[in-house]
Amino acid sequence: QVQLVESGGGLVQPGGSLRLSCTASRSIFNIYRMGWYRQAPGKEREWVAVIFAAGGTNSGDAVKGRFTISRDNAKNTVYLQMNPLKPEDTGVYYCNARLTWNAGDDYWGQGTQVTVSS
């Protein structure tokens, strides 16, 4: 139904900033929910932030007010602006597309590594 490609990960210092991008293979205008999840080694995949088709957003407590999710429907792209970054933000970040309200309709990107270290 949709392919997702993440980019923008890398190695940054604590307090630094990073913007992740997720580009979809088709229009995201009517995708129910786009989002970002992350996973550190040995830990479960964690919900980070989501943005709904109508524009509403939610984010997880772990990212406090530091991360902002946004979308550009014309570019079929969802972004995650991360600042300031902390070492505990380290992990693989995955883009998610939930095509309907049903969680079984999830599609995932390949992930992009974010490492926050001095």
Side-chain angles (χ1 to χ4, degrees):
Q1 284 267 20
V2 62
Q3 289 77 49
L4 306 170
V5 179
E6 302 99 330
S7 63
L11 173 63
V12 297
Q13 292 183 299
S17 299
L18 211 55
R19 187 180 72 168
L20 306 183
S21 299
C22 169
T23 299
S25 62
R26 69 163 176 87
S27 173
I28 63 172
F29 185 80
N30 285 317
I31 292 181
Y32 173 74
R33 196 195 80 174
M34 300 291 298
W36 290 94
Y37 292 68
R38 68 187 183 186
Q39 188 168 29
K43 299 190 68 177
E44 71 282 357
R45 187 170 296 187
E46 174 188 22
W47 170 70
V48 175
V50 297
I51 183 166
F52 293 89
T57 62
N58 292 104
S59 60
D61 289 341
V63 303
K64 295 294 185 178
R66 299 178 296 115
F67 291 7
T68 302
I69 188 170
S70 61
R71 65 195 295 159
D72 186 337
N73 288 338
K75 293 183 170 64
N76 299 336
T77 298
V78 176
Y79 304 97
L80 185 68
Q81 182 68 47
M82 307 184 293
N83 53 272
L85 283 159
K86 301 177 178 180
E88 52 263 44
D89 295 320
T90 294
V92 179
Y93 283 68
Y94 296 93
C95 184
N96 167 260
R98 184 165 293 175
L99 302 191
T100 73
W101 60 268
N102 191 333
D105 293 327
D106 276 353
Y107 292 80
W108 298 90
Q110 81 289 345
T112 185
Q113 177 71 44
V114 172
T115 303
V116 185
S117 176
S118 298

